[in-house]
Amino acid sequence: MRAARLIKMVLLLQSRPSMTAAELAAELEVSERTITRDALALSEAGVPVYADRGRAGGYRLVGGYRTRLTGLARGEAEALFLSGLPGALRDMGLEDAASAARLKVSAALLPSLRNAPDSVAQRFLLDAPGWYQEPETPELLAPIAEAVWDDRMVSARYRRGDREVERELAPYGLVLKAGVWYLCARSGTAFRTYRVDRFASVALAVEHFERDEAFDLSAFWAERAAEFARSILRAEIVVRLTETGARRLPYVTDRAAAEEALAAAVAEDGVLRVVLPVESEEVAFSQLLTLGPEAEVLAPASLRERFGAAARAMASRYA
């Protein structure tokens, strides 16, 4: 533990001109007294750590000293590619590995390039969760992520409706979609998708599985997402849209379904007559209500009556 801390301290000093004892203590999560002892130990081991006194003082490496201890471990290298997802890294238990990887890369950079990580971090950020919701970390995400990284089989209990089912899974990959985690796994010979927050229990097996090298996580997810979007559109409605309504339609309902419906629309007296696939009348009502007078539902009659009742109630309220 101490050896790892000493190495990290050297890498920190190598990546920055100087650091105070307080800054080092915060980075390494130890006391300033421990930093003093560690600096002395490094000096005795031949690492030229120098302490500047005074208010602007701190620790620095003398004479352009550079360590060769910058080789990335496999886990660190893999975590580095996820470093733009700090929340996801923390949830999967990979924050420390990513931090070590970034530090090693910074230490290996030329002095003129050492501010590159900070420069990028100030300009680009991926915020995965959707608006108006507080993201929750599934309780079993960390062990599932461990199994995914290590190609380990898992025995799991999964909540399906009001019952639990047992599954032996080969976990291939994790996907974070709008703040919700999904596991793409092989069950038997079939690949399936599971919501991580619906796992009741997960036990990592001793044996590893042989990963199918032809499996493409990105392509698999895109295909399943498209299938899911199509599968829930079980009803159709007929609606007339103004030019503004047609332009806004893809933003209030399924984009692909809206674009296909608009492409097949028929122009009638300056408006478009659209046959739109929807999940249900209930969902269609809540979605199209946001279009206000830019949309007129023609069928089914029950949905048209519901919009009419809502319009009369709103007119009465604002009269």
Side-chain angles (χ1 to χ4, degrees):
M1 184 70 178
R2 190 191 184 198
R5 189 176 70 243
L6 292 174
I7 292 173
K8 190 171 183 179
M9 183 173 174
V10 173
L11 292 172
L12 282 167
L13 293 174
Q14 185 172 311
S15 63
R16 307 178 194 181
S18 69
M19 295 182 70
T20 66
E23 290 171 337
L24 286 167
E27 286 278 359
L28 300 175
E29 299 180 346
V30 294
S31 67
E32 292 186 36
R33 181 170 294 183
T34 299
I35 293 299
T36 301
R37 290 197 298 264
D38 286 352
L40 180 60
L42 287 170
S43 181
E44 291 175 349
V47 178
V49 177
Y50 179 77
D52 289 319
R53 305 295 180 184
R55 294 181 58 186
Y59 291 94
R60 61 185 177 86
L61 293 175
V62 180
Y65 177 85
R66 299 183 64 80
T67 176
R68 295 178 180 272
L69 297 174
T70 53
L72 293 178
R74 179 180 178 83
E76 294 169 348
E78 291 171 335
L80 185 60
F81 289 99
L82 292 170
S83 58
L85 292 166
L89 283 165
R90 182 178 60 253
D91 295 345
M92 291 189 292
L94 298 172
E95 191 173 28
D96 289 343
S99 175
R102 288 192 296 269
L103 182 57
K104 288 182 178 181
V105 170
S106 296
L109 293 174
L110 293 173
S112 61
L113 299 176
R114 282 179 187 161
N115 69 336
D118 292 335
S119 176
V120 171
Q122 292 299 323
R123 287 166 172 79
F124 301 101
L125 174 68
L126 177 57
D127 184 9
W131 290 104
Y132 315 121
Q133 60 181 354
E134 188 67 28
E136 296 184 2
T137 303
E139 181 180 352
L140 297 173
L141 176 60
I144 290 174
E146 181 182 349
V148 169
W149 283 118
D150 206 25
D151 292 344
R152 296 264 294 277
M153 294 292 297
V154 298
S155 299
R157 293 186 64 83
Y158 187 75
R159 289 185 288 269
R160 179 157 290 168
D162 58 355
R163 63 191 181 94
E164 290 185 2
V165 295
E166 295 185 3
R167 292 287 184 267
E168 298 292 324
L169 301 174
Y172 269 65
L174 283 163
V175 175
L176 178 60
K177 170 70 171 179
V180 180
W181 285 95
Y182 296 87
L183 173 67
C184 301
R186 191 183 68 219
S187 176
T189 58
F191 285 94
R192 304 185 187 280
T193 304
Y194 303 86
R195 275 187 61 140
V196 173
D197 58 5
R198 292 181 183 167
F199 281 101
S201 67
V202 171
L204 275 65
V206 176
E207 68 269 19
H208 296 252
F209 64 88
E210 190 69 28
R211 180 175 285 267
D212 181 357
E213 296 300 329
F215 178 80
D216 184 325
L217 179 60
S218 178
F220 173 80
W221 176 257
E223 180 182 346
R224 290 304 168 92
E227 287 177 1
F228 175 75
R230 289 193 298 268
S231 70
I232 64 174
L233 302 179
R234 303 186 182 93
E236 281 187 346
I237 65 170
V238 182
V239 60
R240 272 201 291 251
L241 298 169
T242 65
E243 182 179 343
T244 299
R247 187 171 61 251
R248 290 169 53 190
L249 184 65
Y251 298 97
V252 302
T253 186
D254 181 81
R255 177 178 289 273
E259 290 176 347
E260 289 180 10
L262 289 169
V266 177
E268 294 180 345
D269 300 326
V271 295
L272 290 179
R273 186 177 186 275
V274 177
V275 179
L276 180 68
V278 295
E279 185 175 345
S280 65
E281 286 190 24
E282 180 71 29
V283 172
F285 177 76
S286 64
Q287 291 174 336
L288 296 184
L289 196 62
T290 63
L291 296 181
E294 310 301 334
E296 178 191 359
V297 173
L298 303 179
S302 57
L303 184 58
R304 180 178 174 84
E305 290 171 3
R306 186 170 181 179
F307 270 98
R312 288 189 294 273
M314 186 170 289
S316 174
R317 183 159 298 175
Y318 285 95

